[in-house]
Amino acid sequence: MDLTSIIGEAAPRQGHKVLFKEFLSENVVRMRIEAALIAKERRPGQFIIIQTDVNYGERVPLTIADANTEEGSITIVFQTVGKTTEELSHFEVGDYIPVVTGPLGRPTHIEKFGKVVAVGGGIGLAPLYPIIQGLKAAGNHVTVIAGARNKGLLIMEDEMRAIADEYIAVTDDGSYGRKALVTEPLKEICENDKPDMVIAIGPPIMMKFCASTTKPYGVYTLVSLNTIMIDGTGMCGCCRVTIDGKIKFVCVDGPEFDAHLVDFDNMLKRMGAFREQETEAREHTCRFRKALKEMQEAEN
Amino acid sequence: MPRFHEDPQILNEKAVEILKGLTAKEKITPKDRMDIPVQKPAVLDPLQRSKWQDEVEKTFTPAQAVVESNRCLQCKIPNCVKGCPVNINIPGFLAAAAKGEFAEAVAVIKQSSLLPAICGRVCPQERQCQENCTMGKKHDPVSIGKVERFLADWDITNNTAPMETAPDTGHKVAVIGSGPAGLVVAADCRRAGHEVHVFEALHKLGGVLRYGIPEFRLPKAVVDSQIDSLRKMGVHFHTDYLVGRTRKLEDMMKEDGFEAAFIGVGAGLPIFMGIPGEDLIGVCSANEYLTRANLMGCIYPGINDTPMYRSKKVVVLGGGNVAMDSCRMAKRLGAEEVTVLYRRSRNEMPARREEVQHAFEEGIHFCFLQNACEVHGDDKGRVKSVTVQRYELGEPDQSGRRSPVKIEGDTYELECDTIIVAIGNKSNPLLTGATPGLDVNKKGNIIVNEETGETSIPGVFAGGDIVLGAATVILAMGEGRRAARGINELLAKK
C-alpha cells in the first residue's frame, strides 16, 4: 500500500537543532544548539532571544556562554526559573528550538586593563566565561570570584580554572570554598591589591552590592543586566533602565553598563513587574508536566 | 452572534434597490450620481465589539461597492489621484467597479498599489484621496477606501493566481524588514524577475502590520494573505534574521551575492515623555503594549505565555493612530476606564478620523488640551496616579497646527494603574550603527537620493519610517515603490 500521497514528504524542520544537553545542577542546563550565523558573529557579552513556541511562546533573553564556529553552534546555560526556561529544559538532543535570534546587545569592550577581577554569581558564571576568555586573550591578569548558594549550583569550575590566573570559590552555606558572599573577597582584593577593572554578572542584588563594594575604591566596574525584554532590538522599551539619570535600553545600549551609574533599586522593582503572572504560569506548567508524567507512568 | 449598528442585510437590500434603479436608466447623469446616498458598511455594535478583537467595520457587499462606485463623477481633472501618495488611478478603478467589473478594477489598483487590502483599511483617506473629492464639496465624498478594500478582499477570495513575474534575471535583492515598505519592494523587484530575499528580525512577518496595528483594525489573515501572494510569486522570507547583528549588510553584499539591498527597518525606538516617575511599573511604550497584545498573542489569554499588564484604569498619552490602537486595545483587554490625554484639541489629532470616532463610541474618555507631567507610584513601585497639566491653544507652530501652551498651576490628579506612552518613535540605530558608510541625518534617519531612494552606499536603498521618521503605511509603500524603481533600474544596467 502506497501512502506517500497521504503522508507527503517530511517538511524541513524549522528552527535550531539541539546538539547537546546536560544538567549542571538540578535546575541548571547547558545546551549546545545549531546556529551557524550567530556562532560566527557573536562576541563576548552578547545574548540571544529564544522562544519555545513560535505562535504563543514568550521571548526570553539568554546570554551566549560559548560558540563553536567550526560546528556552527552556540552554547547556552540557563536556570529553570520561569515557564519558558522550564519548557526549554525539556528539549532533548535532536529537538528543534523554533526561534533563536541574535547575537543581540553590544559586545563587552575588551582591552588590556591590567588586573581584572571577574565576579560571577550562580547562573551569571555562564555569561562570564566568554568574557574571561576574551580578557585573558587580551593579556589581562584575571581573578575569578565564583559564588553560589551551595556547591551544587557552583557551575563551570573546571573551565574557569583552566583560564583564570586565580580562582576563588565562595558559597552561601559553606558547602564548598569559603563560606562568604562574593563581596567579601572582592573587598579584600580592592583593599590589598586594587584591580584596574571589575566585571560582575549575577543576580541583580549581587551586582548592586558589588557596585557599592568597589565604589569607595574608585575601581571601574561593569555589570551585565538581564531585564525583561520582548523584541530585544530596541523596539519596545520594556527593558529600560536608569543610567546616570537617563533612560537607556538594555537590549541596544547594553547589556553592560558602568555599575556605579546604574539605578539598581529601580531595576530590581521593574524586574518584578510580572512576578504574579510569571509565578502562575510556572506553576501551571509544572502541574501540567507532573500530570503528564503520572499519566505516562500509569500507561507503562 | 455579532450585533451591528445597522442590519447588514438591510444595508445590502437598500443598495440592491438603488442598483435596480440605476440599471433601469438609459444614461446616468451627474445629477443622478449626486442623488445616490453614500454607502455605509456594517459596523459592529460598540458595546459588544469593545470586548472583542473582531474587525470593527465589515467590507462592502458587492451591491454596495457598485453603488458607491457609481457616485464617482469621473472628473476630467481627478483631484483624488493627486491626494494619493502612490497616485492610484482612482476614477479608473471606480469606473470598472461601477460596471461590476471587479477583476479589471483590481488590475487598475495593482498598477500602483500592491497591497490594497491593507491600504483600504489603514490609509487616512479623509486627508488624502477623499479630501479632494469633488462630490465631497456638497455631499459626502466617495468612499474610495472602502471600495478599494472591497475590491482587494474580492481579489483575495476570487483570484488566487499569483502576480506575473518577468523571466528570472539572476540578480539577487535583499530586503531588510518585512513591513509595508519592504513588502512593496519585494513585490516590485520580484515582478522584474529578480531573486528576492526578505529578512525579518522578529519571528513573524509584516513589521508594524503584525506587531502594531491590532486585529480589530487590520485582521492578521489579511496580512497573511498578502504575504502568501508574495510567496507564491517566489519571494523568499527569512525570520529571526537581524541584519547588522545576525549578519552584516556588508557581508551580504560582498559574500552572499546580493547586488542590491533595501533597508526598510522602520522607526522602532519608542520616545518617552522624560517626566518624573516614568520608570515606575505600569508605564510602557505603546510599542510594548501593542507588541505584547498583537505579536505575542496576549489577545488570546490562557494560550499565550507572554504576560500582560492587568490594567483596570489606563491612561494613554498621544493623539495618533497608535494612541487610538492602544486605548481601544486596553478596553478590549478588560480595562474598566480608559482615558486618552492629548495636549492639543480634537481638530489637531493626527489619528484617522474613523478610529477616533470608533474609540469615542467604545467609551474611551478623551481629555483634550491636557498632558501628563508626573507619574506617582506606590511603595512597590507600581503606578497609582498621574498629575495632569492643562493647556490652551496658542499660535500655529511649524507644523501649522496651533501649539498648546501650558496654563500655569492648572493641574489635577488622575488615578490609574497603567500609562501607555504613544508619542512617537525615533529611528532605531541598530542597523545604521552596524553599517559603516551609511549616512544618516541628525535624527538618525537614513539620507537617500530623492529620485532613486539610494543611500550613500552604492546599491543600498532605503525607505519608509527609517527615512521619513514616523509616518503612515501608505507613505512607506510610496517610498518602497520609489526604491524598487531605483533598484530595478540599477540592476537593468548590470
Side-chain angles (χ1 to χ4, degrees):
Chain A
M1 189 165 46
D2 184 16
L3 292 175
T4 333
S5 62
I6 295 170
I7 299 164
E9 276 174 50
R13 290 298 298 268
Q14 296 286 313
H16 299 253
K17 196 174 182 180
V18 177
L19 303 170
F20 170 85
K21 175 191 166 185
E22 67 172 337
F23 279 86
L24 295 180
S25 77
E26 193 193 333
N27 56 358
V28 177
V29 181
R30 171 158 39 194
M31 220 177 233
R32 214 163 70 233
I33 49 184
E34 206 175 61
L37 291 173
I38 300 173
K40 192 159 167 266
E41 290 294 322
R42 73 94 212 191
R43 298 285 172 270
Q46 289 187 301
F47 63 94
I48 54 165
I49 278 195
I50 65 116
Q51 260 178 274
T52 52
D53 183 289
V54 72
N55 288 314
Y56 303 109
E58 64 181 330
R59 290 169 71 90
V60 172
L62 294 171
T63 318
I64 305 167
D66 206 353
N68 184 336
T69 44
E70 273 169 37
E71 190 187 36
S73 69
I74 54 170
T75 301
I76 49 172
V77 177
F78 60 91
Q79 193 168 4
T80 55
V81 287
K83 183 182 173 185
T84 301
T85 42
E86 173 72 35
E87 289 284 344
L88 190 61
S89 73
H90 290 275
F91 277 66
E92 301 300 337
V93 172
D95 286 348
Y96 285 77
I97 303 173
V99 174
V100 176
T101 313
L104 299 164
R106 289 169 191 257
T108 311
H109 172 72
I110 286 173
E111 58 169 62
K112 190 171 176 187
F113 296 97
K115 279 178 295 184
V116 176
V117 179
V119 187
I123 195 73
L125 285 159
L128 197 62
Y129 179 66
I131 298 171
I132 299 169
Q133 277 181 320
L135 287 167
K136 196 68 199 137
N140 291 287
H141 177 277
V142 181
T143 304
V144 172
I145 303 175
R149 280 207 307 278
N150 56 49
K151 189 185 174 195
L153 294 170
L154 199 73
I155 56 167
M156 298 174 86
E157 182 180 349
D158 295 344
E159 289 95 325
M160 297 277 187
R161 277 194 192 276
I163 46 171
D165 296 288
E166 278 178 75
Y167 180 88
I168 304 163
V170 297
T171 49
D172 293 3
D173 63 356
S175 54
Y176 189 74
R178 249 173 94 175
K179 182 176 190 293
L181 297 172
V182 290
T183 45
E184 286 173 41
L186 179 62
K187 189 163 194 279
E188 288 161 18
I189 296 171
C190 286
E191 224 151 60
N192 303 327
D193 186 14
K194 199 175 128 177
D196 299 291
M197 186 253 211
V198 169
I199 178 155
I201 308 182
I205 196 78
M206 181 207 96
M207 294 193 280
K208 179 187 166 177
F209 284 106
C210 285
S212 55
T213 304
T214 60
K215 200 167 183 190
Y217 302 97
V219 179
Y220 175 58
T221 305
L222 272 182
V223 285
S224 178
L225 307 182
N226 189 3
T227 49
I228 301 171
M229 291 184 191
I230 307 178
D231 63 293
T233 64
M235 194 187 78
C236 77
C238 178
C239 64
R240 66 191 191 278
V241 285
T242 312
I243 307 291
D244 200 15
K246 292 186 196 75
I247 292 179
K248 294 278 175 190
F249 290 1
V250 173
C251 65
V252 288
D253 301 318
E256 285 167 16
F257 294 98
D258 182 339
H260 299 145
L261 303 177
V262 177
D263 182 344
F264 281 105
D265 293 336
N266 179 255
M267 185 185 109
L268 278 159
K269 276 182 184 164
R270 286 186 60 83
M271 286 182 76
F274 296 102
R275 192 142 294 150
E276 200 185 316
Q277 287 98 314
E278 283 159 4
T279 313
E280 285 169 20
R282 173 90 200 277
E283 281 168 3
H284 183 83
T285 312
C286 292
R287 275 203 306 276
F288 172 73
R289 287 273 172 203
K290 204 175 147 206
L292 197 70
K293 209 175 153 195
E294 281 168 10
M295 262 168 64
Q296 281 164 348
E297 276 166 9
E299 268 175 31
N300 294 336
Chain B
M1 275 294 285
R3 292 195 304 267
F4 291 92
H5 260 317
E6 285 176 79
D7 191 334
Q9 208 178 332
I10 294 173
L11 286 170
N12 186 50
E13 278 167 15
K14 280 184 189 166
V16 169
E17 281 310 306
I18 297 167
L19 206 53
K20 279 181 189 159
L22 288 176
T23 42
K25 289 188 198 317
E26 232 164 71
K27 192 173 176 294
I28 307 170
T29 65
K31 170 86 177 45
D32 294 335
R33 296 188 192 279
M34 279 191 240
D35 287 342
I36 305 173
V38 65
Q39 296 300 298
K40 296 223 158 67
V43 179
L44 281 179
D45 175 77
L47 264 179
Q48 191 182 48
R49 75 179 188 236
S50 65
K51 296 183 181 62
W52 288 5
Q53 293 292 335
D54 295 48
E55 192 172 20
V56 168
E57 214 179 77
K58 302 296 149 194
T59 307
F60 273 157
T61 63
Q64 283 184 303
V66 173
V67 170
E68 189 63 25
S69 303
N70 269 298
R71 295 183 66 235
C72 175
L73 298 170
Q74 295 291 322
C75 309
K76 286 225 171 68
I77 302 162
N79 286 321
C80 49
V81 179
K82 280 185 216 152
C84 173
V86 294
N87 305 117
I88 296 176
N89 178 0
I90 293 164
F93 84 72
L94 288 176
K99 286 181 273 178
E101 288 160 5
F102 298 143
E104 198 195 318
V106 170
V108 174
I109 296 178
K110 285 198 175 168
Q111 286 164 10
S112 319
S113 170
L114 299 163
L115 307 164
I118 293 165
C119 295
R121 286 173 166 86
V122 302
C123 264
Q125 288 97 358
E126 76 272 10
R127 268 182 278 125
Q128 295 176 353
C129 51
Q130 291 173 203
E131 184 175 43
N132 300 330
C133 177
T134 312
M135 184 66 106
K137 283 175 188 151
K138 277 189 184 166
H139 308 269
D140 285 312
V142 178
S143 303
I144 300 167
K146 295 187 182 15
V147 177
E148 179 189 22
R149 171 180 161 176
F150 163 80
L151 292 168
D153 287 4
W154 179 89
D155 186 45
I156 290 171
T157 35
N158 294 285
N159 182 14
T160 46
M163 222 180 284
E164 274 176 36
T165 54
D168 287 348
T169 60
H171 295 303
K172 268 173 88 176
V173 180
V175 174
I176 305 159
S178 66
L183 292 181
V184 165
V185 174
D188 270 357
C189 290
R190 181 68 199 118
R191 280 212 286 201
H194 308 311
E195 184 182 331
V196 178
H197 292 260
V198 179
F199 298 93
E200 168 59 48
L202 293 170
H203 57 286
K204 290 201 172 173
L205 298 165
V208 73
L209 308 171
R210 177 81 52 184
Y211 74 77
I213 305 178
E215 179 80 16
F216 58 80
R217 194 149 81 83
L218 177 66
K220 298 310 147 218
V222 172
V223 181
D224 287 338
S225 80
Q226 305 273 300
I227 289 168
D228 269 350
S229 68
L230 293 182
R231 265 211 189 93
K232 281 186 197 137
M233 284 165 70
V235 174
H236 304 275
F237 287 96
H238 308 267
T239 51
D240 312 312
Y241 199 113
L242 185 57
V243 176
R245 283 284 159 81
T246 309
R247 194 150 173 77
K248 301 259 182 307
L249 180 55
E250 202 184 347
D251 295 341
M252 294 170 72
M253 300 289 281
K254 284 188 181 146
E255 294 168 24
D256 301 349
F258 288 105
E259 291 159 81
F262 172 77
I263 305 173
V265 295
L269 199 73
I271 301 174
F272 286 90
M273 301 277 289
I275 56 174
E278 221 172 1
D279 49 8
L280 290 163
I281 301 169
V283 183
C284 67
S285 71
N287 281 5
E288 180 190 336
Y289 194 79
L290 292 172
T291 301
R292 284 182 188 277
N294 300 325
L295 177 73
M296 305 311 297
C298 291
I299 60 172
Y300 309 109
I303 312 176
N304 83 306
D305 290 346
T306 306
M308 189 49 158
Y309 296 96
R310 289 174 174 166
S311 317
K312 290 291 164 224
K313 288 183 179 176
V314 179
V315 168
V316 177
L317 310 178
N321 284 317
V322 178
M324 293 307 101
D325 289 344
S326 305
C327 67
R328 297 172 69 197
M329 180 61 84
K331 191 92 187 171
R332 281 163 173 76
L333 293 179
E336 286 155 11
E337 248 180 73
V338 185
T339 310
V340 174
L341 296 181
Y342 180 50
R343 62 192 189 111
R344 300 175 196 251
S345 73
R346 184 169 180 175
N347 294 331
E348 284 85 25
M349 277 180 91
R352 210 169 167 251
R353 194 162 54 202
E354 228 166 60
E355 311 310 330
V356 182
Q357 182 61 37
H358 285 160
F360 264 104
E361 290 169 4
E362 287 162 19
I364 311 288
H365 303 295
F366 281 83
C367 296
F368 296 110
L369 293 162
Q370 295 180 23
N371 204 359
C373 63
E374 190 175 350
V375 186
H376 310 280
D378 62 14
D379 53 351
K380 286 184 184 141
R382 290 179 187 269
V383 173
K384 66 167 196 213
S385 71
V386 57
T387 305
V388 183
Q389 166 75 52
R390 284 204 174 86
Y391 288 78
E392 59 190 348
L393 283 182
E395 296 298 311
D397 64 7
Q398 283 173 331
S399 69
R401 297 182 295 182
R402 291 181 66 189
S403 61
V405 185
K406 231 185 234 179
I407 308 173
E408 283 306 328
D410 194 351
T411 62
Y412 69 97
E413 287 288 297
L414 182 62
E415 214 179 284
C416 59
D417 52 36
T418 306
I419 296 175
I420 305 171
V421 185
I423 57 168
N425 281 284
K426 285 183 288 197
S427 55
N428 190 319
L430 219 155
L431 175 58
T432 50
T435 311
L438 188 63
D439 288 350
V440 294
N441 66 14
K442 262 190 233 159
K443 287 180 174 168
N445 297 326
I446 299 176
I447 300 167
V448 297
N449 177 323
E450 296 225 343
E451 293 285 308
T452 61
E454 195 165 11
T455 67
S456 53
I457 303 175
V460 176
F461 297 71
D465 280 5
I466 190 68
V467 171
L468 296 168
T472 59
V473 169
I474 186 72
L475 281 172
M477 289 186 181
E479 291 259 302
R481 296 227 83 181
R482 173 180 74 180
R485 231 173 8 247
I487 292 171
N488 290 340
E489 275 165 23
L490 176 85
L491 294 180
K493 286 184 219 145
K494 285 198 177 179

